Amino acid sequence: MTENNIKIVAFLCNWCSYGAADLAGVSRMQYPADVRAIRIPCTGRLSPKFILSALREGCDAVWVSG
Amino acid sequence: MDTCIEKIRAIGADLLAKGTVEKVIGFADGSIPMATRPMALTSDKDVDKLVFNSVCGLNLANYVSKNSLSNKEGKIAVVAKGCDARNLVTHIVENQISREQIYIIGVPCTGMVDKRKIAALFDDEITGFEEHGDTLTITSASKTETVKKADVLRHNCRVCTHRNPPVYDVMAGDPVEEQTLDHPYEDVDQIAAMDLDARWAYFENLTKNCIRCYACRNACPLCYCPTCFVDESSPQWVGKGQNEIDVTTFHFLRAFHCAGRCTDCGACVEACPMGINVRDFTRKLNKDALELFGWEAGLVLDKRPPLDAYSPNDPNDFIK
Amino acid sequence: MMGNLLEHMGVDRDRIHFSWISSAEATKFVDVVKEISEKVRALGPNKKFVKDYNK
């Protein structure tokens, strides 16, 4: 990963943030393309293991959003 | 503490003879000096095997679990120091056992000694260990050393503020005076004072000798999952080798699974064959649990642990 | 608490973010993405907690 190509793993709740991301998409809003979204059924499904796994596999930051 | 043992034996013999309990779990002498082992007694004739001294560093709550009680056995009595009793409370709160299934023989505790500190005083193997009040006499082939117990206490016992069991059925001795500390989390603050890279280096150095034997996990009464995350193979969350990131991941997650549950009993450090102070991880979580949620594990039976319950007052400043 | 322990171990606090966005808040989503992206760019690539499979 270089300075200008960062990877942020985003764990998005299906019902909240994933919907918001979808809405942002259909509204043609512009936002940085550094985020790699992973849809989870609920933020309660998230385990600390997921966050560590993401870091271990080399992402630059983790974002959890409900 | 020498007098406690007579009372523990008397209580144990009485419980077994009357049939109040089916088993008594306590400490017995190990095969080498300065070692004790956990022991389950079923007959009142065996109570003389029970011991209680300053080297009973393991946590007996570990030997009372859902599995060991599942076959409708009768009650089990446990010889419990302050921390053991707190872990029994944690077991009850987490629905691993019910209060009716156990009989807690509370022991007021003045702390356990750090065997590594004592071993460091000698060049050769220790052949004898005797305890009289606050004085310990340790012998090896070449010399005899007399030390004050307070000088060789384990760190978690030095900073312990719950020496007496918070919950018990019977006490084997008068409660001891609780300590009050000015800086209970001095060790955590010392690490926190470093900058980020120094902290990372500190923890990397701390775990560099880890051989991944999982003794810390097995000694811990909190680690009762049927399959531990390190043993899961699909998906495999953490590699099984000596890779430093795998080692760090293991220690991080092991500690985090104890967040808000750890009683700082020190069994993990006691069990570590490499002398790693794995408490450096859990201490930070204990400090946070206390500061953020006002919580210390295992003190009351009727409150849920902080990470298990929602309250409108929960700190949420980390959420955008 | 997990963020705190990671920070205690030397991982930058800005590498882990939590937020709460309703499915109707597309603008907030965009704002948060921008904010996080800026913060992480400022930090540069992550070197800690990354497993090197070649080792």
Side-chain angles (χ1 to χ4, degrees), chain A residues 2-66:
Chain A
T2 55
E3 294 283 334
N4 43 14
N5 183 21
I6 55 170
K7 264 189 198 158
I8 301 168
V9 173
F11 293 100
L12 307 179
C13 163
N14 184 19
W15 310 104
C16 305
S17 298
Y18 201 80
D22 197 22
L23 185 60
V26 295
S27 316
R28 307 281 170 106
M29 291 177 175
Q30 297 289 321
Y31 59 86
D34 309 323
V35 170
R36 311 294 143 99
I38 296 176
R39 179 170 65 156
I40 51 175
C42 168
T43 14
R45 175 65 184 86
L46 191 89
S47 155
K49 294 174 205 167
F50 297 4
I51 300 180
L52 284 194
S53 285
L55 289 173
R56 280 162 55 86
E57 300 301 325
C59 78
D60 297 306
V62 180
W63 173 29
V64 180
S65 189

Side-chain angles (χ1 to χ4, degrees), chain C residues 26-45:
Chain C
T27 42
K28 181 174 175 187
F29 179 85
V30 172
D31 291 345
V32 173
V33 175
K34 282 181 182 158
E35 186 194 333
I36 293 175
S37 174
E38 265 167 36
K39 279 188 176 165
V40 179
R41 269 172 202 282
L43 290 176

Side-chain angles (χ1 to χ4, degrees), chain B residues 246-296:
Chain B
D246 285 335
V247 173
T248 315
T249 309
F250 161 64
H251 282 288
F252 178 89
L253 269 181
R254 187 198 75 81
F256 193 67
H257 287 171
C258 304
R261 307 162 67 215
C262 176
T263 58
D264 206 11
C265 69
C268 44
V269 177
E270 180 91 15
C272 182
M274 307 305 287
I276 300 169
N277 186 24
V278 289
R279 283 173 56 250
D280 272 341
F281 293 89
T282 47
R283 288 276 290 167
K284 167 66 178 163
L285 293 162
N286 286 3
K287 182 177 185 238
D288 281 355
L290 185 63
E291 285 177 359
L292 298 174
F293 299 96
W295 173 264
E296 285 184 282

Side-chain angles (χ1 to χ4, degrees), chain B residues 196-197 199-200 246 320, chain C residues 7-8 12 17 48 51:
Chain B
L196 286 174
D197 290 332
R199 280 187 236 165
W200 182 254
D246 285 335
K320 279 197 222 13
Chain C
E7 192 184 11
H8 192 63
D12 279 297
H17 295 266
K48 290 163 188 162
K51 182 166 175 179

Side-chain angles (χ1 to χ4, degrees), chain B:
Chain B
M1 218 180 271
D2 312 333
T3 52
C4 275
I5 186 58
E6 295 307 322
K7 213 154 173 206
I8 294 172
R9 284 176 186 157
I11 294 167
D14 185 52
L15 289 172
L16 286 168
K18 281 189 188 146
T20 323
V21 299
E22 221 160 71
K23 270 182 203 160
V24 174
I25 298 180
F27 290 102
D29 266 326
S31 49
I32 52 169
M34 281 215 305
T36 52
R37 63 196 169 98
M39 184 181 213
L41 305 175
T42 47
S43 156
D44 57 328
K45 294 184 195 77
D46 293 334
V47 288
D48 287 339
K49 288 181 185 164
L50 286 179
V51 296
F52 192 81
N53 50 30
S54 296
V55 286
C56 299
L58 290 176
N59 193 324
L60 292 181
N62 199 17
Y63 302 95
V64 190
S65 66
K66 214 170 196 170
N67 294 337
S68 70
L69 287 167
S70 58
N71 42 357
K72 295 195 189 69
E73 287 174 286
K75 274 194 169 196
I76 291 187
V78 185
V79 177
K81 316 184 280 286
C83 42
D84 299 25
R86 287 174 67 197
N87 273 109
L88 288 169
V89 171
T90 307
H91 271 328
I92 295 165
V93 168
E94 292 174 359
N95 297 324
Q96 291 301 303
I97 49 177
S98 72
R99 181 70 185 89
E100 292 75 42
Q101 284 175 301
I102 49 163
Y103 192 95
I104 304 174
I105 306 174
V107 186
C109 170
T110 52
M112 295 295 147
V113 297
D114 187 335
K115 290 168 196 166
R116 286 179 187 272
K117 256 188 203 166
I118 294 179
L121 300 172
F122 292 88
D123 296 328
D124 47 355
E125 202 183 313
I126 291 164
T127 52
F129 174 84
E130 268 180 65
E131 186 180 351
H132 297 285
D134 291 339
T135 341
L136 312 173
T137 316
I138 309 117
T139 44
S140 78
S142 61
K143 62 174 176 176
T144 300
E145 288 265 0
T146 311
V147 289
K148 278 254 181 291
K149 181 176 158 182
D151 297 335
V152 287
L153 272 188
R154 298 195 304 197
H155 181 263
N156 70 305
C157 297
R158 267 209 316 275
V159 297
C160 171
T161 51
H162 298 282
R163 293 173 145 185
N164 299 301
V167 174
Y168 55 85
D169 290 292
V170 62
M171 277 292 268
D174 299 323
V176 289
E177 198 186 334
E178 296 286 4
Q179 310 188 93
T180 45
L181 304 162
D182 296 332
H183 303 292
Y185 289 102
E186 208 176 354
D187 51 333
V188 180
D189 295 335
Q190 268 170 13
I191 298 172
M194 302 179 200
D195 68 20
L196 286 174
D197 290 332
R199 280 187 236 165
W200 182 254
Y202 176 86
F203 280 103
E204 235 171 28
N205 185 46
L206 179 73
T207 55
K208 71 171 193 287
N209 288 334
C210 178
I211 54 170
R212 298 288 291 277
C213 67
Y214 304 139
C216 45
R217 174 195 74 183
N218 284 9
C220 181
L222 301 174
C223 287
Y224 52 68
C225 291
T227 308
C228 181
F229 73 96
V230 291
D231 299 328
E232 278 176 350
S233 53
S234 90
Q236 193 185 34
W237 297 104
V238 48
K240 293 178 190 301
Q242 300 277 93
N243 179 299
E244 53 199 43
I245 295 299
D246 285 335
V247 173
T248 315
T249 309
F250 161 64
H251 282 288
F252 178 89
L253 269 181
R254 187 198 75 81
F256 193 67
H257 287 171
C258 304
R261 307 162 67 215
C262 176
T263 58
D264 206 11
C265 69
C268 44
V269 177
E270 180 91 15
C272 182
M274 307 305 287
I276 300 169
N277 186 24
V278 289
R279 283 173 56 250
D280 272 341
F281 293 89
T282 47
R283 288 276 290 167
K284 167 66 178 163
L285 293 162
N286 286 3
K287 182 177 185 238
D288 281 355
L290 185 63
E291 285 177 359
L292 298 174
F293 299 96
W295 173 264
E296 285 184 282
L299 297 182
V300 282
L301 286 164
D302 52 0
K303 256 195 190 160
R304 304 298 307 166
L307 296 193
D308 181 292
Y310 169 74
S311 149
N313 303 325
D314 284 347
N316 60 0
D317 50 349
F318 64 94
I319 298 176
K320 279 197 222 13

